[in-house]
Amino acid sequence: MSLDPSFVGRTYPPTAPYQVGREKIREFATAIGAADPAHHDPEAARALGHPDVVAPPTFPVVVSMAASQQIIDDPALGVDYSRVVHGDQRFAYTRPVVAGDELVCVCVVEDVSSRGGHDFLTIRTEVATPAGEPVVTVWSKIVVRGEG
């Protein structure tokens, strides 16, 4: 079953605020091998002008993936998650994510297409503070493999 292209442009409700913790940043940085002291040590981050430890550039995937579940789990769209592989990920920052941030995500279905028997779903996630200050935009592309 192909994904429903009429979903392009559909916006999903904002998520509950996610509190970015210092230890979460440290754990993520350690997991991906990001050894920069600014990801681990508040004093090193402050020396660079940040209020606390700064997240590695790919950290927003933590909140954006959780937020995009509302799209992937929408039965009307038709995503068979057992057939999903990761296609692409990119980030456009307004400012870095730092410990102490509260982040809210709004997901939009940016594109649905089919090629070679596979469906491609691009989700744009606008990550901002609860007050509406933009932080980062995350694009995620997933591929729903065909049955061939």
Side-chain angles (χ1 to χ4, degrees):
M1 180 169 111
S2 291
L3 299 181
D4 184 347
S6 73
F7 273 68
V8 172
R10 186 171 293 192
T11 301
Y12 286 74
T15 61
Y18 175 89
Q19 182 74 39
V20 177
R22 184 183 288 165
E23 289 309 313
K24 286 290 184 190
I25 290 174
R26 287 175 174 157
E27 290 167 359
F28 186 88
T30 298
I32 66 167
D36 187 315
H39 302 313
H40 302 274
D41 177 17
E43 291 307 315
R46 285 186 193 103
L48 296 172
H50 302 289
D52 206 321
V53 295
V54 61
T58 56
F59 181 84
V61 76
V62 171
V63 292
S64 67
M65 278 189 66
S68 66
Q69 276 306 126
Q70 60 187 325
I71 294 174
I72 292 167
D73 292 343
D74 189 334
L77 177 59
V79 174
D80 177 354
Y81 201 74
S82 71
R83 305 194 69 75
V84 166
V85 294
H86 184 264
D88 188 30
Q89 192 87 45
R90 61 190 169 99
F91 305 85
Y93 274 89
T94 302
R95 68 160 177 83
V97 173
V98 296
D101 276 342
E102 272 195 326
L103 302 176
V104 174
C105 297
V106 174
C107 293
V108 178
V109 176
E110 188 160 277
D111 187 51
V112 173
S113 61
S114 295
R115 293 186 304 277
H118 308 292
D119 290 330
F120 296 81
L121 171 65
T122 302
I123 299 168
R124 184 182 78 244
T125 305
E126 299 294 342
V127 182
T129 67
E133 174 199 357
V135 177
V136 60
T137 301
V138 180
W139 288 268
S140 302
K141 182 177 288 188
I142 63 169
V143 180
V144 183
R145 295 173 293 117
E147 295 190 27

